[in-house]
Amino acid sequence: MRFTDFKLPTRLDEARAALKELGGSGFPVAGATSLVFRGGSDARVAVDLGRLGLEGIEEVPGGYKIGSGTRIADIQEFRGQGWMLHRVAKLFSTQQVRNISSIGGNVASTFRWSDFPVAFLVLDCEFAIQGDSERVLAGPDYFAKQPRAHFSPGDILTWVKVERLPEGAGFGYRKEIRTHADFSLATAAAVVELDGTRIRSLRAAVGGALPIAARLPKLEKRLAGRTVRRSSLAEDAFLKEVQEACADVKWRGHTGMSDEYAGTLAAATIRDAVADAAAEALGGEE
Ligand SMILES: Cc1cc2nc3c(=O)[nH]c(=O)nc-3n(C[C@H](O)[C@H](O)[C@H](O)COP(=O)(O)OP(=O)(O)OC[C@H]3O[C@@H](n4cnc5c(N)ncnc54)[C@H](O)[C@@H]3O)c2cc1C
């Protein structure tokens, strides 16, 4: 893809009008860090979303509203009760890329290695798309397919709302990389809620070893009701359970990994994320 012109709108309606008029030849641009991954030489006109005032994190009832233009570096800096996205941002590429990439760009069109889709899959969240009217999609609906399929020319993701992590719940986020700032080979996120030491609910999601991030309903069901002890979370038996519950996932290896290896690595990464979340929910030492 190559750009033949730039539009620099300062209002949302202006940006939408430009994109609608351009149709297939227009391209909304936030941080523009994804362009390096796009092949082809088709000519497009860039419509820069950077002057629309879509940045910022606001505390709202139940959680946080994140403007789609908010940079990953700002997500890493932010703190609040029940906020855990800084832990995801910390593992996102390099400081340079975090300074430029927006949360909107990360979730509007996802790659195998995209961090935030995996985390959002285990959190209560909503995504607002401004078209002729505003559409608000719940996380599972938004990520049920490649998110860019939700967007027609002129549609702009304006904000993401994420609920606070419930009091007493634990969050785990892991990714496997070979070198610093490498693309993830396997990414996993988990939220665990306990009744005492019994798992009341588990949400688990995986990316990196799949073309698009996904929840793991069989694992969630299998571990619900299970009693956890900090020491048991590191046991091989726990890893075996994760492997069994993920047996029908169609793993996809890449950059030299076989599908089988991708599955082996993903299972260990999921185990670690679930163990971290459970340990955090257990609190203190056993
Ligand atoms: C070297 C390098 C390493 C990276 N490593 C990682 C990593 O480890 N983990 C990770 O998650 N990401 C990583 N990224 C970033 C990731 O690949 C994407 O490039 C990035 O998240 C896109 O954000 P952006 O703001 O730059 O969006 P852009 O590149 O500007 O846009 C991305 C896509 O989203 C669309 N878009 C953007 N904003 C909106 C909006 N508000 N409404 C509708 N559509 C929109 C664009 O049209 C485009 O299709 C890396 C990038 C680089 C360059």
Side-chain angles (χ1 to χ4, degrees):
M1 189 172 65
R2 64 197 163 85
F3 289 142
T4 54
D5 198 3
F6 286 89
K7 305 267 182 213
L8 305 174
T10 54
R11 294 196 325 265
L12 187 60
D13 60 342
E14 206 188 328
R16 292 198 56 248
L19 286 164
K20 277 177 90 167
E21 192 183 329
L22 287 162
S25 62
F27 190 85
V29 166
T33 60
S34 68
L35 301 183
V36 69
F37 308 116
R38 287 178 181 276
S41 58
D42 49 319
R44 307 288 276 273
V45 174
V47 177
D48 186 357
L49 308 180
R51 292 164 177 76
L52 306 184
L54 294 174
E55 316 74 28
I57 304 171
E58 186 193 344
E59 194 160 358
V60 293
Y64 301 92
K65 196 169 167 180
I66 312 164
S68 62
T70 306
R71 306 290 153 173
I72 306 305
D74 294 322
I75 290 176
Q76 186 182 357
E77 289 299 310
F78 188 83
R79 294 291 184 277
Q81 192 205 336
W83 168 267
M84 74 306 299
L85 294 180
H86 58 291
R87 288 161 59 182
V88 181
K90 197 172 73 177
L91 299 183
F92 185 112
S93 191
T94 60
Q95 188 62 47
Q96 292 94 321
V97 178
R98 292 193 290 270
N99 287 343
I100 302 171
S101 278
S102 66
I103 188 68
N106 198 242
V107 299
S109 178
T110 66
F111 294 103
R112 173 180 48 72
W113 59 81
S114 300
D115 279 286
F116 281 90
V118 184
F120 281 134
L121 273 166
V122 299
L123 300 169
D124 283 321
C125 54
E126 291 180 333
F127 296 80
I129 298 174
Q130 186 65 53
D132 290 337
S133 59
E134 184 180 71
R135 311 191 301 280
V136 177
L137 278 74
D141 298 330
Y142 183 81
F143 289 114
K145 53 187 176 183
Q146 165 60 258
R148 66 174 163 265
H150 295 298
F151 294 83
S152 301
D155 287 356
I156 293 176
L157 183 74
T158 47
W159 52 261
V160 181
K161 188 178 162 200
V162 60
E163 297 286 314
R164 283 192 190 89
L165 196 68
E167 192 91 9
F171 176 70
Y173 187 77
R174 290 277 189 134
K175 65 193 259 194
E176 288 302 321
I177 51 177
R178 280 176 287 208
T179 57
H180 172 67
D182 193 8
F183 295 113
S184 180
L185 303 174
T187 312
V191 169
V192 169
E193 289 185 87
L194 298 176
D195 281 325
T197 55
R198 264 168 41 95
I199 296 181
R200 180 178 352 126
S201 74
L202 164 69
R203 294 181 189 193
V206 64
L210 294 173
I212 187 159
R215 280 275 287 269
L216 296 165
K218 282 197 178 161
L219 178 68
E220 294 174 0
K221 204 166 158 202
R222 181 164 177 160
L223 296 185
R226 186 68 54 89
T227 299
V228 286
R229 286 175 294 110
R230 198 178 296 276
S231 54
S232 69
L233 297 168
E235 285 169 5
D236 287 348
F238 183 38
L239 177 59
K240 193 158 176 286
E241 280 208 84
V242 174
Q243 286 167 336
E244 284 171 7
C246 296
D248 58 357
V249 178
K250 303 269 178 277
W251 303 112
R252 287 283 170 271
H254 54 85
T255 52
M257 285 197 301
S258 65
D259 293 349
E260 189 188 356
Y261 182 75
T264 304
L265 187 63
T269 311
I270 296 160
R271 186 270 308 265
D272 291 346
V274 173
D276 286 351
E280 187 171 287
L282 280 169
E285 293 301 315
E286 238 184 1

